[in-house]
Amino acid sequence: MLFACGMNSVRSPMAAGLFKHYFSRTYVGSAGVRKGDLDPFAVAAMEEIGLDIAKHKPMTFEELEEWEGLNFDLIVTLSPQAHHRALELTRTLAADVEYWPTADPTAIEGSREQRMNAYRDVRDQLLQRIRTRFFPHRSGNE
């Protein structure tokens, strides 16, 4: 399972952390079209629910391919740029690609609490998408 977004600094690390929580035996990676720095608001939002992504090292698709290979059955893209890049990869990879449009919380301005709320919203949306996609028989409140 590979989660991908624009900079591998917010959405894809959050999604990978959530997925790892439920599927610890499944290999999960995350990558970005470009490489940014891990966002401290993303780390804080995940810590609020007991998940630690602080050691995540952002990387690009190319870096991931160089270090670990791109042996994924499913690539979930969270931004338009990542979706286009993943579709390019599937010309040479046998992987399914799903697009889960996910807002970029870094665009939100305001107080610390307003910004944190944007990250919480993204975290909760990703969690709901994971539950719906991989646990369709369960209710959203579990």
Side-chain angles (χ1 to χ4, degrees):
M1 167 67 71
L2 175 66
F3 288 96
C5 65
M7 295 178 56
N8 194 221
S9 62
V10 178
R11 294 169 286 184
S12 54
M14 290 173 82
L18 291 163
F19 191 86
K20 284 177 191 175
H21 175 71
Y22 289 107
F23 299 97
S24 60
R25 294 183 179 198
T26 301
Y27 178 72
V28 182
S30 68
V33 176
R34 297 172 315 283
K35 182 165 65 174
D37 294 321
L38 181 61
D39 190 303
F41 283 100
V43 173
M46 295 297 283
E47 283 177 351
E48 289 180 348
I49 61 167
L51 299 178
D52 183 6
I53 63 167
K55 292 184 176 127
H56 173 74
K57 301 290 184 225
M59 60 176 47
T60 63
F61 281 97
E62 292 76 21
E63 289 172 320
L64 182 64
E65 184 174 23
E66 184 179 309
W67 285 96
E68 301 179 28
L70 291 174
N71 301 313
F72 299 97
D73 296 321
L74 177 61
I75 302 171
V76 174
T77 60
L78 307 170
S79 72
Q81 306 92 333
H83 190 66
H84 292 299
R85 181 69 180 104
L87 291 176
E88 288 173 14
L89 289 173
T90 60
R91 292 180 188 157
T92 58
L93 296 175
D96 291 328
V97 178
E98 292 182 14
Y99 180 42
W100 296 359
T102 306
D104 181 358
T106 64
I108 301 300
E109 295 184 11
S111 69
R112 182 183 194 288
E113 191 60 23
Q114 289 169 320
R115 294 180 70 200
M116 276 303 298
N117 283 337
Y119 285 77
R120 289 178 186 118
D121 288 346
V122 167
R123 176 198 67 207
D124 295 347
Q125 289 170 14
L126 290 169
L127 179 57
Q128 187 58 46
R129 288 296 301 255
I130 289 168
R131 286 178 173 163
T132 300
R133 171 65 170 83
F134 298 101
F135 300 107
H137 57 282
R138 292 186 182 178
S139 71
N141 297 327
E142 294 181 43

